[in-house]
Amino acid sequence: MAETLLSVQNLTKKFEDHTILDGLNLEIKKGEVIVIVGPSGCGKSTLLRCINALEPIQGGTVTLSGKPIEYGSRNLAAVRQKIGMVFQSYELFPHLTVLDNIMLAPLKVQKRAKDEVKQETLQLLERVGLKEKADSYPRQLSGGQKQRVAIVRALCMHPEILLFDEVTAALDPEMVREVLDVMLDLAKQGRTMIIVTHEMQFAKAVADRVIFLDQGHIVEEDAPEVFFEHPKTERAKQFLNVFTFDKVEHK
Amino acid sequence: MLDLGLDVLLKGTNMVRLLQGLWVAMQISLVSIAISMPLGILAGGLMTMKNRLVRFIFRIYLEFIRIMPQLVLLFIVYFGSTRVFGWNLSGESASVIVFVLWGTAEMGDLVRGALISIPKHQYESSEALGLSKLQTYRYVIIPQTVRRLIPLAINLITRMIKTTSLVLMIGVVEMLKVAQQIIEANRMTSPNAAFGVFLIVFILYFLACWPISMLARYLEKRWR
Amino acid sequence: MNWDFIMEYLPMYERAAILTVKLGLIGIAFAVLVGLICAMIQYHKIPVARQIVAVYIELSRNTPLLVQLFFIYYGLPKLGLQFGPELCGIIGLAFLGGSYMAESFRSGLETIEPIQRESALSLGMTNRQTMQYVILPQAVSISVPAFVANVIFLLKETSVFSAISLMDLMFTAKDLIGLYYKTIESLFLLVVFYLIILLPVSILGSLLERRLRHAGFGA
């Protein structure tokens, strides 16, 4: 049995009177790939943001290898280095080249040697097929290319866990695949990942465990084969039905 | 107690005279605004015209007016007109002329900016709905332009009011001049009057401009 | 047009123009400093300081420079705060310009989406590193057009310096008009010198603006 890497205990997040996450519990083991699905507004993205302490929480704890991740705490920057996060809107820094985007944090935060970081960056870029874009600026890249750069930027910090927040939701359909392939590759390497996505086929392929979130609660938690083929709850069935269409009957 | 020289203002009609001075400044800016608004809208419309010569002439006019300090323009009109045309313009008339020239240029630029800021899609989608050119302007373009324009135009009023402080330099008796006169007249009895009187002038200018700025900001937020 | 007169008084205008530019640039440098401090206080929502900055910005933006100068030059000495005319001009310009600069920096900062900051934080950067490497470089380049407009505005505003007996371009022109009635020549020189000072800044500004608007980073 692998050790628990990330632990979420009784996490409660409220926005004014509205409860977004209601006493959530979640354990993620090293090397595990978790996919979180659920209707929009169910709190999936908020959960990721709370794990990375980008939002204050109203109750509960989040720990990484036993160390607490607390909003506003002093050592937050140190803990966050171990958590890589990729956003739906890429959030590359528009004033820096691809290379500088990726190298900024390793150089300034981790104070690593420039040669070593550059070498690693170029290797990773080559792996995602973007080596020739190293000196381009973000605005010169397509959405899919930007997102692959964003993934490399997170990887270069050598994180222990990666969070993906609907990373393909803003992409044109033909670019979705190139990003998902990179993520599949990462899963094969045994990386620990939490993925929020609407790509159900991808979820089925990549996940060790699927979590179905609805109205701030974990409604179902299962292996992907079980969840997608034989959902237990009515709500999960309804949710999965959204992704299938009945053929239009001809008059 | 520290003598701030505020007592001077309570003497005789001093405070009333200061307010009259402010009123002179306000009158100059209000008259100028009233004239430059319609002229500016006309100029703005002309600047978006396809005719290159018209656009070029307005461009030169606009750039010259906007790059010259307003005080230089006041000097040119006030001193220059006497010399060249033999006119004997009063400071007030020279001020209104300059403020209208300046206001028209600024307003024209604002109108032009507001007109070209309406995306082309707005014209196209109106056309696609079958609206006539006139209807497109009447129901789609002008309402949007006006909303962008009004806060900026209101801001221009405060800029004019502030700039009226300059007309002192061409001999118009407005608030600052009155302030100087009061300070001068009470030099013996109230040596610290310069502090109190100029403080009050500062506050009065602020009270004249601030509400207008707030209104502009409110409208800008509401109509964004 | 009397060209001999123009040649004779050219050096006088030159000296005046140098004074205008010198005081203008020093004043603008301080205005940038004041503006940056104010914008940082507002961005980080520092209590109390933030309210003070808000009051300062309203006071500074809603009063004319000439009135500010009169208060500093003639009013403050009555409280024992006496400055020479040059220093007064610089203080006045910094007081006026600080709020304009603050507003342009603030709006530059506001255009950076909060998620950019979060993305930097999630890479493990501290707040200071995020500001230094991610937020400021973007905000500054977005503020460039407004910044240049402010520089032109403030250089123009220096024209009131003659009211506190500084021998700038306006002072020189008025002096010569009064002394020799060479109105046309004096006004001509006045316009030419202001164009020499302001036109390059204006052209540079529109070049920068076009570059930023149509290209952004990496063109």
Side-chain angles (χ1 to χ4, degrees), chain A residues 49 52 54 77 80-81 83 87 89 91-95 104 108-109 137 139-140 153 157, chain C residues 113 115-116 118-126 129 133-134 137-138 214-219:
Chain A
R49 292 169 58 80
N52 212 0
L54 291 171
R80 275 183 179 144
Q81 291 176 41
I83 307 173
F87 298 84
S89 46
E91 298 311 322
L92 297 181
F93 306 132
H95 60 300
L104 179 65
K108 301 297 178 187
V109 177
Y137 281 89
R139 61 181 293 275
Q140 297 163 320
R153 185 173 71 176
M157 292 295 285
Chain C
E113 298 282 340
I115 195 168
Q116 274 278 310
E118 292 172 355
S119 134
L121 290 176
S122 67
L123 285 167
M125 288 192 214
T126 60
Q129 287 169 327
Y133 300 119
V134 177
Q138 293 184 59
H214 295 297
F217 300 101

mmCIF file of all heavy atoms in Angstrom, chain A residues 49 52 54 77 80-81 83 87 89 91-95 104 108-109 137 139-140 153 157, chain C residues 113 115-116 118-126 129 133-134 137-138 214-219:
data_model
loop_
_atom_site.group_PDB
_atom_site.id
_atom_site.type_symbol
_atom_site.label_atom_id
_atom_site.label_comp_id
_atom_site.label_asym_id
_atom_site.label_seq_id
_atom_site.Cartn_x
_atom_site.Cartn_y
_atom_site.Cartn_z
ATOM 1 N N ARG A 49 -8.636 24.868 -5.955
ATOM 2 C CA ARG A 49 -8.106 26.152 -5.478
ATOM 3 C C ARG A 49 -7.873 26.123 -3.969
ATOM 4 O O ARG A 49 -6.931 26.736 -3.469
ATOM 5 C CB ARG A 49 -9.044 27.289 -5.873
ATOM 6 C CG ARG A 49 -9.072 27.517 -7.399
ATOM 7 C CD ARG A 49 -10.194 28.461 -7.815
ATOM 8 N NE ARG A 49 -10.076 29.749 -7.140
ATOM 9 C CZ ARG A 49 -9.240 30.704 -7.527
ATOM 10 N NH1 ARG A 49 -8.480 30.526 -8.582
ATOM 11 N NH2 ARG A 49 -9.177 31.834 -6.866
ATOM 12 N N ASN A 52 -4.691 24.247 -3.085
ATOM 13 C CA ASN A 52 -3.494 25.075 -3.288
ATOM 14 C C ASN A 52 -3.545 26.370 -2.472
ATOM 15 O O ASN A 52 -2.755 27.281 -2.671
ATOM 16 C CB ASN A 52 -3.335 25.395 -4.771
ATOM 17 C CG ASN A 52 -1.878 25.530 -5.170
ATOM 18 O OD1 ASN A 52 -0.985 25.379 -4.338
ATOM 19 N ND2 ASN A 52 -1.629 25.836 -6.424
ATOM 20 N N LEU A 54 -5.429 28.932 -2.569
ATOM 21 C CA LEU A 54 -5.654 30.195 -3.281
ATOM 22 C C LEU A 54 -6.898 30.885 -2.735
ATOM 23 O O LEU A 54 -7.180 32.024 -3.070
ATOM 24 C CB LEU A 54 -5.820 29.944 -4.785
ATOM 25 C CG LEU A 54 -4.554 29.480 -5.519
ATOM 26 C CD1 LEU A 54 -4.879 29.054 -6.942
ATOM 27 C CD2 LEU A 54 -3.498 30.580 -5.525
ATOM 28 N N ALA A 77 4.506 29.632 0.359
ATOM 29 C CA ALA A 77 5.275 29.602 -0.889
ATOM 30 C C ALA A 77 6.105 28.323 -0.982
ATOM 31 O O ALA A 77 6.216 27.717 -2.041
ATOM 32 C CB ALA A 77 6.164 30.836 -0.990
ATOM 33 N N ARG A 80 3.759 25.389 -1.745
ATOM 34 C CA ARG A 80 3.188 25.467 -3.097
ATOM 35 C C ARG A 80 4.179 25.006 -4.171
ATOM 36 O O ARG A 80 3.769 24.574 -5.238
ATOM 37 C CB ARG A 80 2.762 26.903 -3.395
ATOM 38 C CG ARG A 80 1.363 27.227 -2.874
ATOM 39 C CD ARG A 80 1.007 28.621 -3.285
ATOM 40 N NE ARG A 80 -0.321 29.009 -2.864
ATOM 41 C CZ ARG A 80 -0.618 30.240 -2.466
ATOM 42 N NH1 ARG A 80 0.326 31.158 -2.415
ATOM 43 N NH2 ARG A 80 -1.849 30.554 -2.128
ATOM 44 N N GLN A 81 5.476 25.116 -3.876
ATOM 45 C CA GLN A 81 6.461 24.633 -4.846
ATOM 46 C C GLN A 81 6.272 23.153 -5.122
ATOM 47 O O GLN A 81 6.627 22.655 -6.173
ATOM 48 C CB GLN A 81 7.875 24.848 -4.308
ATOM 49 C CG GLN A 81 8.280 26.292 -4.233
ATOM 50 C CD GLN A 81 9.654 26.426 -3.601
ATOM 51 O OE1 GLN A 81 10.549 25.647 -3.880
ATOM 52 N NE2 GLN A 81 9.808 27.412 -2.733
ATOM 53 N N ILE A 83 3.409 21.679 -5.233
ATOM 54 C CA ILE A 83 2.127 21.463 -5.900
ATOM 55 C C ILE A 83 2.148 22.203 -7.234
ATOM 56 O O ILE A 83 2.290 23.422 -7.268
ATOM 57 C CB ILE A 83 0.964 22.019 -5.044
ATOM 58 C CG1 ILE A 83 1.038 21.433 -3.630
ATOM 59 C CG2 ILE A 83 -0.364 21.720 -5.706
ATOM 60 C CD1 ILE A 83 0.049 22.054 -2.683
ATOM 61 N N PHE A 87 -3.997 25.889 -15.135
ATOM 62 C CA PHE A 87 -5.308 26.543 -15.159
ATOM 63 C C PHE A 87 -5.979 26.400 -16.523
ATOM 64 O O PHE A 87 -5.314 26.234 -17.550
ATOM 65 C CB PHE A 87 -5.151 28.042 -14.864
ATOM 66 C CG PHE A 87 -4.589 28.352 -13.510
ATOM 67 C CD1 PHE A 87 -3.217 28.354 -13.288
ATOM 68 C CD2 PHE A 87 -5.436 28.657 -12.449
ATOM 69 C CE1 PHE A 87 -2.694 28.643 -12.046
ATOM 70 C CE2 PHE A 87 -4.914 28.953 -11.202
ATOM 71 C CZ PHE A 87 -3.542 28.950 -10.998
ATOM 72 N N SER A 89 -7.273 28.746 -18.232
ATOM 73 C CA SER A 89 -6.899 29.865 -19.108
ATOM 74 C C SER A 89 -5.379 30.000 -19.255
ATOM 75 O O SER A 89 -4.874 31.087 -19.494
ATOM 76 C CB SER A 89 -7.506 31.147 -18.563
ATOM 77 O OG SER A 89 -7.294 31.238 -17.176
ATOM 78 N N GLU A 91 -2.701 30.976 -18.290
ATOM 79 C CA GLU A 91 -2.001 31.912 -17.406
ATOM 80 C C GLU A 91 -0.490 31.883 -17.570
ATOM 81 O O GLU A 91 0.264 31.936 -16.606
ATOM 82 C CB GLU A 91 -2.399 31.698 -15.937
ATOM 83 C CG GLU A 91 -3.871 31.929 -15.679
ATOM 84 C CD GLU A 91 -4.412 33.226 -16.243
ATOM 85 O OE1 GLU A 91 -3.698 34.243 -16.193
ATOM 86 O OE2 GLU A 91 -5.537 33.214 -16.766
ATOM 87 N N LEU A 92 -0.039 31.780 -18.811
ATOM 88 C CA LEU A 92 1.378 32.048 -19.060
ATOM 89 C C LEU A 92 1.595 33.533 -18.826
ATOM 90 O O LEU A 92 0.650 34.319 -18.871
ATOM 91 C CB LEU A 92 1.733 31.673 -20.498
ATOM 92 C CG LEU A 92 1.565 30.196 -20.847
ATOM 93 C CD1 LEU A 92 1.965 29.959 -22.291
ATOM 94 C CD2 LEU A 92 2.376 29.316 -19.921
ATOM 95 N N PHE A 93 2.836 33.920 -18.569
ATOM 96 C CA PHE A 93 3.113 35.335 -18.362
ATOM 97 C C PHE A 93 3.387 35.966 -19.723
ATOM 98 O O PHE A 93 4.383 35.631 -20.374
ATOM 99 C CB PHE A 93 4.288 35.510 -17.411
ATOM 100 C CG PHE A 93 4.098 34.767 -16.109
ATOM 101 C CD1 PHE A 93 5.094 33.974 -15.579
ATOM 102 C CD2 PHE A 93 2.893 34.863 -15.426
ATOM 103 C CE1 PHE A 93 4.910 33.284 -14.387
ATOM 104 C CE2 PHE A 93 2.691 34.175 -14.233
ATOM 105 C CZ PHE A 93 3.702 33.388 -13.718
ATOM 106 N N PRO A 94 2.510 36.882 -20.172
ATOM 107 C CA PRO A 94 2.579 37.348 -21.564
ATOM 108 C C PRO A 94 3.852 38.125 -21.885
ATOM 109 O O PRO A 94 4.207 38.245 -23.043
ATOM 110 C CB PRO A 94 1.343 38.244 -21.699
ATOM 111 C CG PRO A 94 0.970 38.624 -20.311
ATOM 112 C CD PRO A 94 1.386 37.477 -19.445
ATOM 113 N N HIS A 95 4.537 38.640 -20.861
ATOM 114 C CA HIS A 95 5.714 39.456 -21.139
ATOM 115 C C HIS A 95 6.992 38.631 -21.218
ATOM 116 O O HIS A 95 8.064 39.187 -21.428
ATOM 117 C CB HIS A 95 5.851 40.551 -20.082
ATOM 118 C CG HIS A 95 6.011 40.019 -18.679
ATOM 119 N ND1 HIS A 95 5.069 39.233 -18.076
ATOM 120 C CD2 HIS A 95 7.006 40.154 -17.789
ATOM 121 C CE1 HIS A 95 5.479 38.912 -16.861
ATOM 122 N NE2 HIS A 95 6.654 39.460 -16.660
ATOM 123 N N LEU A 104 11.417 30.922 -14.931
ATOM 124 C CA LEU A 104 11.303 31.981 -13.916
ATOM 125 C C LEU A 104 11.294 31.425 -12.491
ATOM 126 O O LEU A 104 12.142 31.791 -11.662
ATOM 127 C CB LEU A 104 10.042 32.815 -14.173
ATOM 128 C CG LEU A 104 9.783 33.946 -13.181
ATOM 129 C CD1 LEU A 104 10.869 34.999 -13.267
ATOM 130 C CD2 LEU A 104 8.416 34.587 -13.416
ATOM 131 N N LYS A 108 14.209 31.833 -9.766
ATOM 132 C CA LYS A 108 14.002 32.844 -8.730
ATOM 133 C C LYS A 108 13.535 32.252 -7.412
ATOM 134 O O LYS A 108 13.849 32.762 -6.350
ATOM 135 C CB LYS A 108 12.977 33.887 -9.208
ATOM 136 C CG LYS A 108 13.362 34.624 -10.474
ATOM 137 C CD LYS A 108 14.629 35.442 -10.286
ATOM 138 C CE LYS A 108 14.994 36.116 -11.601
ATOM 139 N NZ LYS A 108 16.298 36.777 -11.517
ATOM 140 N N VAL A 109 12.739 31.187 -7.484
ATOM 141 C CA VAL A 109 12.189 30.623 -6.255
ATOM 142 C C VAL A 109 13.118 29.541 -5.703
ATOM 143 O O VAL A 109 13.473 29.551 -4.539
ATOM 144 C CB VAL A 109 10.781 30.039 -6.513
ATOM 145 C CG1 VAL A 109 10.240 29.385 -5.248
ATOM 146 C CG2 VAL A 109 9.846 31.138 -6.998
ATOM 147 N N TYR A 137 6.843 34.092 -27.857
ATOM 148 C CA TYR A 137 6.035 34.655 -26.776
ATOM 149 C C TYR A 137 4.676 33.955 -26.764
ATOM 150 O O TYR A 137 4.214 33.466 -27.804
ATOM 151 C CB TYR A 137 5.850 36.159 -26.984
ATOM 152 C CG TYR A 137 7.066 36.953 -26.562
ATOM 153 C CD1 TYR A 137 8.094 37.201 -27.453
ATOM 154 C CD2 TYR A 137 7.165 37.436 -25.262
ATOM 155 C CE1 TYR A 137 9.213 37.918 -27.067
ATOM 156 C CE2 TYR A 137 8.272 38.153 -24.860
ATOM 157 C CZ TYR A 137 9.304 38.397 -25.766
ATOM 158 O OH TYR A 137 10.392 39.096 -25.385
ATOM 159 N N ARG A 139 1.678 34.869 -26.939
ATOM 160 C CA ARG A 139 0.658 35.262 -27.904
ATOM 161 C C ARG A 139 0.887 34.674 -29.291
ATOM 162 O O ARG A 139 0.009 34.688 -30.128
ATOM 163 C CB ARG A 139 0.550 36.785 -27.996
ATOM 164 C CG ARG A 139 1.812 37.473 -28.455
ATOM 165 C CD ARG A 139 1.602 38.962 -28.495
ATOM 166 N NE ARG A 139 0.648 39.375 -29.503
ATOM 167 C CZ ARG A 139 0.946 39.587 -30.781
ATOM 168 N NH1 ARG A 139 2.176 39.401 -31.211
ATOM 169 N NH2 ARG A 139 0.027 39.988 -31.617
ATOM 170 N N GLN A 140 2.092 34.157 -29.522
ATOM 171 C CA GLN A 140 2.379 33.559 -30.826
ATOM 172 C C GLN A 140 2.020 32.072 -30.872
ATOM 173 O O GLN A 140 2.226 31.417 -31.879
ATOM 174 C CB GLN A 140 3.867 33.740 -31.155
ATOM 175 C CG GLN A 140 4.245 35.214 -31.282
ATOM 176 C CD GLN A 140 5.730 35.472 -31.199
ATOM 177 O OE1 GLN A 140 6.422 34.854 -30.402
ATOM 178 N NE2 GLN A 140 6.216 36.399 -32.001
ATOM 179 N N ARG A 153 5.803 24.175 -17.454
ATOM 180 C CA ARG A 153 6.180 25.143 -16.428
ATOM 181 C C ARG A 153 5.936 24.563 -15.038
ATOM 182 O O ARG A 153 6.762 24.739 -14.127
ATOM 183 C CB ARG A 153 5.372 26.436 -16.615
ATOM 184 C CG ARG A 153 5.788 27.533 -15.684
ATOM 185 C CD ARG A 153 5.103 28.844 -16.003
ATOM 186 N NE ARG A 153 3.683 28.802 -15.649
ATOM 187 C CZ ARG A 153 2.871 29.851 -15.761
ATOM 188 N NH1 ARG A 153 3.328 31.006 -16.213
ATOM 189 N NH2 ARG A 153 1.603 29.755 -15.438
ATOM 190 N N MET A 157 9.168 22.593 -11.784
ATOM 191 C CA MET A 157 9.359 22.850 -10.354
ATOM 192 C C MET A 157 9.487 21.538 -9.577
ATOM 193 O O MET A 157 9.587 21.547 -8.355
ATOM 194 C CB MET A 157 8.181 23.659 -9.809
ATOM 195 C CG MET A 157 8.088 25.080 -10.320
ATOM 196 S SD MET A 157 9.483 26.078 -9.773
ATOM 197 C CE MET A 157 9.053 26.355 -8.054
ATOM 198 N N GLU C 113 -5.221 40.354 -14.646
ATOM 199 C CA GLU C 113 -6.223 39.509 -14.015
ATOM 200 C C GLU C 113 -5.667 38.891 -12.729
ATOM 201 O O GLU C 113 -4.500 38.482 -12.695
ATOM 202 C CB GLU C 113 -6.623 38.374 -14.958
ATOM 203 C CG GLU C 113 -7.264 38.827 -16.250
ATOM 204 C CD GLU C 113 -8.721 39.214 -16.071
ATOM 205 O OE1 GLU C 113 -9.328 38.772 -15.061
ATOM 206 O OE2 GLU C 113 -9.249 39.952 -16.917
ATOM 207 N N ILE C 115 -5.967 36.053 -11.645
ATOM 208 C CA ILE C 115 -5.512 34.668 -11.834
ATOM 209 C C ILE C 115 -4.047 34.620 -12.287
ATOM 210 O O ILE C 115 -3.352 33.634 -12.045
ATOM 211 C CB ILE C 115 -6.448 33.911 -12.800
ATOM 212 C CG1 ILE C 115 -6.202 32.397 -12.718
ATOM 213 C CG2 ILE C 115 -6.335 34.437 -14.204
ATOM 214 C CD1 ILE C 115 -7.240 31.551 -13.384
ATOM 215 N N GLN C 116 -3.554 35.704 -12.888
ATOM 216 C CA GLN C 116 -2.123 35.778 -13.206
ATOM 217 C C GLN C 116 -1.307 35.715 -11.914
ATOM 218 O O GLN C 116 -0.278 35.049 -11.838
ATOM 219 C CB GLN C 116 -1.802 37.081 -13.937
ATOM 220 C CG GLN C 116 -1.995 37.018 -15.423
ATOM 221 C CD GLN C 116 -0.806 36.394 -16.141
ATOM 222 O OE1 GLN C 116 0.331 36.767 -15.931
ATOM 223 N NE2 GLN C 116 -1.086 35.421 -16.969
ATOM 224 N N GLU C 118 -2.355 34.443 -9.104
ATOM 225 C CA GLU C 118 -2.514 33.111 -8.528
ATOM 226 C C GLU C 118 -1.613 32.107 -9.226
ATOM 227 O O GLU C 118 -1.069 31.198 -8.588
ATOM 228 C CB GLU C 118 -3.975 32.668 -8.656
ATOM 229 C CG GLU C 118 -4.889 33.484 -7.780
ATOM 230 C CD GLU C 118 -6.354 33.192 -8.032
ATOM 231 O OE1 GLU C 118 -6.668 32.414 -8.959
ATOM 232 O OE2 GLU C 118 -7.184 33.749 -7.320
ATOM 233 N N SER C 119 -1.463 32.295 -10.530
ATOM 234 C CA SER C 119 -0.627 31.360 -11.254
ATOM 235 C C SER C 119 0.834 31.491 -10.814
ATOM 236 O O SER C 119 1.549 30.500 -10.687
ATOM 237 C CB SER C 119 -0.835 31.587 -12.752
ATOM 238 O OG SER C 119 0.354 31.635 -13.442
ATOM 239 N N ALA C 120 1.256 32.725 -10.536
ATOM 240 C CA ALA C 120 2.612 32.926 -10.021
ATOM 241 C C ALA C 120 2.742 32.357 -8.609
ATOM 242 O O ALA C 120 3.732 31.691 -8.281
ATOM 243 C CB ALA C 120 2.962 34.408 -10.027
ATOM 244 N N LEU C 121 1.729 32.604 -7.786
ATOM 245 C CA LEU C 121 1.769 32.089 -6.412
ATOM 246 C C LEU C 121 1.806 30.570 -6.406
ATOM 247 O O LEU C 121 2.501 29.956 -5.601
ATOM 248 C CB LEU C 121 0.543 32.575 -5.623
ATOM 249 C CG LEU C 121 0.501 34.061 -5.273
ATOM 250 C CD1 LEU C 121 -0.808 34.399 -4.576
ATOM 251 C CD2 LEU C 121 1.684 34.438 -4.388
ATOM 252 N N SER C 122 1.061 29.956 -7.338
ATOM 253 C CA SER C 122 1.016 28.498 -7.319
ATOM 254 C C SER C 122 2.330 27.893 -7.801
ATOM 255 O O SER C 122 2.558 26.700 -7.646
ATOM 256 C CB SER C 122 -0.166 27.974 -8.132
ATOM 257 O OG SER C 122 0.027 28.260 -9.488
ATOM 258 N N LEU C 123 3.205 28.724 -8.385
ATOM 259 C CA LEU C 123 4.549 28.249 -8.701
ATOM 260 C C LEU C 123 5.480 28.399 -7.497
ATOM 261 O O LEU C 123 6.677 28.162 -7.596
ATOM 262 C CB LEU C 123 5.126 29.027 -9.881
ATOM 263 C CG LEU C 123 4.571 28.657 -11.257
ATOM 264 C CD1 LEU C 123 4.960 29.697 -12.285
ATOM 265 C CD2 LEU C 123 5.069 27.285 -11.681
ATOM 266 N N GLY C 124 4.924 28.843 -6.391
ATOM 267 C CA GLY C 124 5.722 28.963 -5.177
ATOM 268 C C GLY C 124 6.392 30.313 -5.005
ATOM 269 O O GLY C 124 7.260 30.476 -4.153
ATOM 270 N N MET C 125 5.992 31.296 -5.822
ATOM 271 C CA MET C 125 6.594 32.625 -5.656
ATOM 272 C C MET C 125 5.986 33.312 -4.437
ATOM 273 O O MET C 125 4.826 33.112 -4.111
ATOM 274 C CB MET C 125 6.328 33.486 -6.893
ATOM 275 C CG MET C 125 7.116 33.049 -8.094
ATOM 276 S SD MET C 125 7.001 34.297 -9.377
ATOM 277 C CE MET C 125 7.038 33.260 -10.806
ATOM 278 N N THR C 126 6.802 34.143 -3.796
ATOM 279 C CA THR C 126 6.286 34.939 -2.697
ATOM 280 C C THR C 126 5.527 36.131 -3.290
ATOM 281 O O THR C 126 5.602 36.387 -4.488
ATOM 282 C CB THR C 126 7.429 35.485 -1.826
ATOM 283 O OG1 THR C 126 8.256 36.304 -2.671
ATOM 284 C CG2 THR C 126 8.273 34.372 -1.249
ATOM 285 N N GLN C 129 7.992 38.462 -4.990
ATOM 286 C CA GLN C 129 8.471 37.955 -6.284
ATOM 287 C C GLN C 129 7.382 38.052 -7.350
ATOM 288 O O GLN C 129 7.655 38.400 -8.499
ATOM 289 C CB GLN C 129 8.911 36.491 -6.144
ATOM 290 C CG GLN C 129 10.228 36.332 -5.383
ATOM 291 C CD GLN C 129 10.510 34.882 -5.031
ATOM 292 O OE1 GLN C 129 9.586 34.110 -4.788
ATOM 293 N NE2 GLN C 129 11.779 34.512 -4.996
ATOM 294 N N TYR C 133 8.294 40.099 -10.631
ATOM 295 C CA TYR C 133 8.571 39.411 -11.894
ATOM 296 C C TYR C 133 7.345 39.264 -12.798
ATOM 297 O O TYR C 133 7.478 39.050 -13.991
ATOM 298 C CB TYR C 133 9.154 38.026 -11.634
ATOM 299 C CG TYR C 133 10.451 38.044 -10.857
ATOM 300 C CD1 TYR C 133 10.561 37.432 -9.623
ATOM 301 C CD2 TYR C 133 11.560 38.703 -11.382
ATOM 302 C CE1 TYR C 133 11.750 37.461 -8.904
ATOM 303 C CE2 TYR C 133 12.745 38.743 -10.683
ATOM 304 C CZ TYR C 133 12.841 38.122 -9.444
ATOM 305 O OH TYR C 133 14.011 38.158 -8.752
ATOM 306 N N VAL C 134 6.149 39.305 -12.195
ATOM 307 C CA VAL C 134 4.960 39.009 -13.001
ATOM 308 C C VAL C 134 4.038 40.212 -13.159
ATOM 309 O O VAL C 134 3.678 40.586 -14.271
ATOM 310 C CB VAL C 134 4.188 37.810 -12.397
ATOM 311 C CG1 VAL C 134 2.912 37.534 -13.180
ATOM 312 C CG2 VAL C 134 5.082 36.576 -12.386
ATOM 313 N N PRO C 137 6.042 44.141 -14.340
ATOM 314 C CA PRO C 137 6.485 44.294 -15.740
ATOM 315 C C PRO C 137 5.308 44.437 -16.701
ATOM 316 O O PRO C 137 5.367 45.218 -17.655
ATOM 317 C CB PRO C 137 7.247 42.994 -16.017
ATOM 318 C CG PRO C 137 7.631 42.462 -14.694
ATOM 319 C CD PRO C 137 6.582 42.913 -13.730
ATOM 320 N N GLN C 138 4.227 43.696 -16.450
ATOM 321 C CA GLN C 138 3.065 43.802 -17.321
ATOM 322 C C GLN C 138 2.343 45.127 -17.114
ATOM 323 O O GLN C 138 1.967 45.810 -18.070
ATOM 324 C CB GLN C 138 2.076 42.670 -17.035
ATOM 325 C CG GLN C 138 2.592 41.305 -17.393
ATOM 326 C CD GLN C 138 1.528 40.246 -17.172
ATOM 327 O OE1 GLN C 138 0.463 40.290 -17.742
ATOM 328 N NE2 GLN C 138 1.823 39.288 -16.313
ATOM 329 N N HIS C 214 -1.026 47.362 -31.167
ATOM 330 C CA HIS C 214 -1.145 46.423 -32.268
ATOM 331 C C HIS C 214 -0.287 45.191 -32.112
ATOM 332 O O HIS C 214 -0.435 44.235 -32.833
ATOM 333 C CB HIS C 214 -0.794 47.120 -33.585
ATOM 334 C CG HIS C 214 -1.768 48.196 -33.913
ATOM 335 N ND1 HIS C 214 -3.093 47.929 -34.144
ATOM 336 C CD2 HIS C 214 -1.641 49.535 -33.996
ATOM 337 C CE1 HIS C 214 -3.730 49.062 -34.390
ATOM 338 N NE2 HIS C 214 -2.872 50.053 -34.293
ATOM 339 N N ALA C 215 0.630 45.228 -31.182
ATOM 340 C CA ALA C 215 1.546 44.114 -31.129
ATOM 341 C C ALA C 215 1.575 43.446 -29.769
ATOM 342 O O ALA C 215 1.329 42.262 -29.647
ATOM 343 C CB ALA C 215 2.945 44.603 -31.492
ATOM 344 N N GLY C 216 1.805 44.200 -28.738
ATOM 345 C CA GLY C 216 1.984 43.578 -27.439
ATOM 346 C C GLY C 216 3.339 42.909 -27.399
ATOM 347 O O GLY C 216 4.230 43.201 -28.195
ATOM 348 N N PHE C 217 3.483 41.964 -26.505
ATOM 349 C CA PHE C 217 4.777 41.324 -26.340
ATOM 350 C C PHE C 217 5.032 40.347 -27.467
ATOM 351 O O PHE C 217 4.169 39.607 -27.875
ATOM 352 C CB PHE C 217 4.821 40.596 -25.009
ATOM 353 C CG PHE C 217 4.612 41.505 -23.849
ATOM 354 C CD1 PHE C 217 3.382 41.571 -23.229
ATOM 355 C CD2 PHE C 217 5.627 42.320 -23.404
ATOM 356 C CE1 PHE C 217 3.176 42.417 -22.166
ATOM 357 C CE2 PHE C 217 5.434 43.169 -22.350
ATOM 358 C CZ PHE C 217 4.200 43.222 -21.727
ATOM 359 N N GLY C 218 6.255 40.375 -27.948
ATOM 360 C CA GLY C 218 6.653 39.348 -28.889
ATOM 361 C C GLY C 218 6.264 39.614 -30.321
ATOM 362 O O GLY C 218 5.842 38.707 -31.021
ATOM 363 N N ALA C 219 6.363 40.863 -30.759
ATOM 364 C CA ALA C 219 6.096 41.119 -32.169
ATOM 365 C C ALA C 219 7.371 41.595 -32.847
ATOM 366 O O ALA C 219 8.290 42.008 -32.196
ATOM 367 C CB ALA C 219 5.043 42.173 -32.333
#
